[in-house]
Amino acid sequence: MADQIFKGRITKALSGFYYVTRFEDGITYACKAKGIFRKKGSSPLVGDVASFVVTHEGDKEGNIEALDPRTSVLQRPTVANVDMGLVVFAVKDPEPNLHLLDRMLVVLENADLDVVICFNKTDLMDEAYVNSLSLLYESAGYKVVCTCVPDEDGKSILLPQLSGHLTTVVGPSGAGKSSIINMLRGTAAMEVGEVSEKIRRGKQTTRHVELISLSPKNSFIVDTPGFSSLDFSDIAKEDLASCFPEIEKRLGGCKFSSCSHIHEPVDSCIIRQAVESGEIDERRYESYVSFYEELEKMSKF
């Protein structure tokens, strides 16, 4: 009699084992990958949907037989099938670097992910400042949630946004990513780093990539290491405008089809006109110009 095949999501890879959470009941099995993967020169990834057989029910062990086709692969850290990006920034402690936030958003947009921005630690700044940040990115076309962890009011707002998605969490160290994940899953098992008093940056606390199951069923979130820079090498300068939602929705209205939205006269560029009228935020536009010039320099090498 052939072994029964189950389906599940790989939620962790550690010490040669792939931990697969079975879809039907949420039970996790420590699985080995069959030799066929080594022969193909590929390996399963966290986030993969795997077909597996149970080899030892008591010890919750199994073997991965096959993987479903991937819809995406997000690098650094490498996670398969991510379709949502939750970008977490503190409004203070550390001070928000909005240029870095824009950079992260460009990378997530280029990866074709849905995006939710979470401004955390809202108790540290006045309401007017928090509202101005929210309005800036809502007017650009993003969903924005404000939280004050450990206050769980944000949980009821965030969870529906992430329902049915495999979400990666990105943001600078010290922004409160681990605290927000603890809030979402209802535990405090994940180590939370204190912000360094000396340099006002977060100490890195995440040691490996792991998916965490959320309610409702088959919703997952991955805690990823914090980072301070992002590589644009796989983005063509001509595609950059499509990574800014407020610019993308106006594309096609310029006089020149090859418009860079930087060097052309204002009366021929609908994007520059929108900046002058205040329809596109000037600070966001400055990020676009900075990134475009960076990509332009890279293309010359």
Side-chain angles (χ1 to χ4, degrees):
M1 182 177 176
D3 292 324
Q4 184 175 358
I5 301 290
F6 297 100
K7 285 266 194 179
R9 178 86 65 179
I10 298 178
T11 57
K12 181 170 63 174
L14 200 61
S15 302
F17 285 92
Y18 298 93
Y19 294 81
V20 184
T21 299
R22 191 161 60 185
F23 286 140
E24 64 186 66
D25 53 17
I27 295 174
T28 299
Y29 292 81
C31 297
K32 289 285 191 179
K34 294 193 69 175
I36 187 173
F37 295 107
R38 289 190 296 273
K39 292 176 183 177
K40 292 180 178 179
S42 64
S43 299
L45 297 176
V46 172
D48 272 329
V49 174
S51 299
F52 70 100
V53 297
V54 176
T55 57
H56 197 290
E57 183 60 49
D59 291 337
K60 296 294 183 287
E61 294 179 347
N63 286 330
I64 295 175
E65 300 286 315
L67 301 175
D68 282 10
R70 294 167 181 157
T71 59
S72 67
V73 177
L74 193 67
Q75 301 295 334
R76 288 177 300 177
T78 305
V79 186
N81 300 314
V82 170
D83 62 353
M84 172 75 77
L86 175 62
V87 186
V88 180
F89 268 68
V91 298
K92 188 178 182 181
D93 199 18
E95 297 291 333
N97 181 338
L98 298 185
H99 191 73
L100 174 61
L101 171 54
D102 290 340
R103 194 176 183 93
M104 291 181 179
L105 293 173
V106 165
V107 171
L108 294 176
E109 291 284 351
N110 187 58
D112 200 26
L113 303 186
D114 291 333
V115 177
V116 174
I117 299 172
C118 176
F119 288 118
N120 191 29
K121 304 186 183 180
T122 55
D123 59 321
L124 301 182
M125 290 296 290
D126 62 77
E127 186 176 352
Y129 176 75
V130 175
N131 287 341
S132 69
L133 278 182
S134 298
L135 182 59
L136 168 61
Y137 285 94
E138 285 173 345
S139 63
Y142 289 104
K143 298 174 183 176
V144 178
V145 174
C146 296
T147 57
C148 177
V149 176
D151 185 342
E152 293 208 354
D153 285 348
K155 182 176 182 178
S156 61
I157 303 172
L158 261 180
L159 273 178
Q161 303 285 354
L162 311 182
S163 176
H165 292 283
L166 199 172
T167 302
T168 184
V169 182
V170 298
S173 295
K177 298 188 300 298
S178 295
S179 296
I180 284 174
I181 290 172
N182 288 337
M183 175 187 73
L184 290 171
R185 69 176 182 174
T187 70
M190 184 176 296
E191 180 185 355
V192 178
E194 296 179 353
V195 175
S196 166
E197 290 295 327
K198 183 176 181 182
I199 61 174
R200 312 308 300 166
R201 289 186 302 167
K203 299 173 183 178
Q204 182 55 52
T205 59
T206 307
R207 294 179 176 83
H208 62 268
V209 183
E210 182 174 356
L211 296 189
I212 297 160
S213 182
L214 301 178
S215 179
K217 190 177 179 182
N218 297 336
S219 301
F220 296 89
I221 194 166
V222 54
D223 182 44
T224 61
F227 44 79
S228 58
S229 64
L230 287 161
D231 184 13
F232 276 0
S233 60
D234 62 339
I235 303 176
K237 65 180 182 180
E238 295 80 10
D239 296 331
L240 180 63
S242 297
C243 297
F244 283 75
E246 66 271 56
I247 295 178
E248 181 185 33
K249 71 179 184 180
R250 293 175 168 87
L251 293 180
C254 298
K255 181 177 180 180
F256 306 108
S257 60
S258 60
C259 188
S260 68
H261 320 300
I262 298 174
H263 308 297
E264 295 78 8
V266 174
D267 61 3
S268 69
C269 177
I270 196 170
I271 305 305
R272 295 190 65 190
Q273 292 170 24
V275 175
E276 287 204 346
S277 68
E279 295 174 62
I280 292 178
D281 180 78
E282 186 174 359
R283 198 211 55 77
R284 283 274 294 169
Y285 176 70
E286 288 172 357
S287 286
Y288 168 78
V289 173
S290 174
F291 299 155
Y292 188 93
E293 290 174 346
E294 179 181 341
L295 291 170
E296 203 165 36
K297 289 178 182 177
M298 291 170 57
S299 68
K300 294 177 181 178
F301 291 97

